[in-house]
Amino acid sequence: MFLISSGRRNYFQLRRMSIQAALIDLSGTLHVEDEPTPNAVEALVRLRDSGVAVKFVTNTTKESKTTLHDRLCKIGFQVDPSEIYSSLSAAVSYVESGKLNPYYLLSEDARKDFPPEDPERYFNSVVVGLAPNAFNYEQMNKAFKVLLEKKDNQLVAVHQGKYYKRGDGLALGPGCFVKGLEFATGRTAKVIGKPNSYFFEGALAGRDPSSCVMIGDDATDDIEGAMSVGMQGIQVKTGKYLPGVVPSPPATALVENFSEAVDWIIQNNKK
């Protein structure tokens, strides 16, 4: 669900805008752990007041939607839970629609969003997210055995990010563990989260991609993924941004941080 500031809704519905909605990455773009990026709290208010609808999109898989929403509010952001669209949300829909009974390699908090394992049914899939405590030999070997048990058992990757930004620097994402299971079993994972079109089309919820922009720090997951479905992409130099990693095609704009991305959008919509 996209929400815009109620006080200016009617005015901006009448006005033709080149950018009508923004998908905003969270970790590394809006905040790093429990700290907002520079001027991000105020910038989000300015973006809403400009009439641009917002949705927060994230590959974060360690936290349930409730935990994620609580974290954002404590940091100082005004966010409605319906505005959060995560790779976990998309993966839950995939599991439910496919009537899967997965063996989960997820954090305990992320598991809260998913259907419980059904002990009356055999495992017919493995779902992998960012779960540092689950990436040990015993649990990885269990996942390996589940995938080999039946030829149509699915490997589902909530996402396969290479790394993410923590307070102590970059840290391994779940991608290498997904690739390890692919290598060992010969299966190809169904990847749910960014940069896949499946994720972005779900987040857009029917909006025209050409009227939307993605703001993110990841060249591949955020910028290339969004631009592949017809969106514009603004890359920020916070979070996991690395100068030598350039998206292809290049981002529509490269700015210092989220606050400058908001400046760019507002100025663009005045032209």
Side-chain angles (χ1 to χ4, degrees):
M1 179 179 180
F2 286 91
L3 300 179
I4 64 175
S5 179
S6 59
R8 301 195 177 190
R9 183 177 290 115
N10 293 335
Y11 171 76
F12 285 104
Q13 282 178 337
L14 294 173
R15 178 184 167 196
R16 181 177 180 80
M17 292 171 26
S18 58
I19 296 176
Q20 298 178 358
L23 302 187
I24 304 167
D25 175 54
L26 293 176
S27 180
T29 300
L30 209 60
H31 67 93
V32 174
E33 295 195 335
D34 292 330
E35 291 295 326
T37 54
N39 303 311
V41 173
E42 178 271 337
L44 179 59
V45 174
R46 288 193 292 113
L47 184 61
R48 291 186 188 278
D49 286 347
S50 75
V52 174
V54 300
K55 183 175 285 187
F56 305 94
V57 294
T58 177
N59 270 351
T60 297
T61 60
K62 285 180 65 179
E63 298 174 314
S64 65
K65 179 182 281 192
T66 298
T67 300
L68 188 57
H69 176 254
D70 289 347
R71 175 199 283 263
L72 292 171
C73 291
K74 287 177 182 177
I75 293 173
F77 294 105
Q78 296 180 358
V79 177
D80 188 280
S82 66
E83 295 177 298
I84 300 173
Y85 186 82
S86 71
S87 54
L88 283 180
S89 305
V92 168
S93 296
Y94 185 82
V95 168
E96 291 176 338
S97 64
K99 296 181 171 58
L100 300 182
N101 185 41
Y103 176 69
Y104 293 106
L105 289 174
L106 296 171
S107 70
E108 290 186 11
D109 192 44
R111 281 283 285 107
K112 296 175 184 177
D113 285 351
F114 283 83
E117 296 168 352
D118 184 351
E120 302 299 319
R121 299 170 58 200
Y122 69 88
F123 290 124
N124 58 12
S125 53
V126 172
V127 173
V128 185
L130 180 59
N133 292 334
F135 293 146
N136 56 67
Y137 182 83
E138 291 303 321
Q139 288 179 265
M140 291 292 290
N141 196 46
K142 172 67 174 178
F144 167 73
K145 290 182 176 181
V146 168
L147 292 170
L148 290 185
E149 188 172 352
K150 290 183 179 291
K151 65 179 182 181
D152 57 349
N153 283 3
Q154 295 186 52
L155 174 59
V156 180
V158 182
H159 71 90
Q160 55 180 2
K162 296 177 181 178
Y163 48 81
Y164 67 104
K165 182 67 177 289
R166 300 192 310 196
D168 61 351
L170 296 179
L172 274 178
C176 60
F177 301 97
V178 174
K179 292 300 183 183
L181 288 172
E182 286 184 325
F183 174 76
T185 63
R187 305 294 172 85
T188 300
K190 169 66 177 180
V191 183
I192 302 297
K194 297 180 291 183
N196 296 280
S197 59
Y198 177 90
F199 178 87
F200 283 102
E201 288 164 3
L204 287 169
R207 279 188 177 267
D208 178 2
S210 65
S211 70
C212 302
V213 65
M214 175 73 208
I215 307 172
D217 62 329
D218 191 296
T220 301
D221 289 354
D222 295 326
I223 305 306
E224 291 182 3
M227 296 182 76
S228 72
V229 299
M231 298 174 62
Q232 297 181 65
I234 304 177
Q235 188 176 14
V236 295
K237 296 181 182 180
T238 53
K240 66 176 73 170
Y241 169 77
L242 294 172
V245 181
V246 180
S248 179
T252 310
L254 176 63
V255 299
E256 290 297 322
N257 52 45
F258 174 73
S259 181
E260 287 197 8
V262 170
D263 292 339
W264 188 93
I265 291 170
I266 293 172
Q267 289 300 315
N268 186 77
N269 279 346
K270 289 180 179 179
K271 294 179 181 178

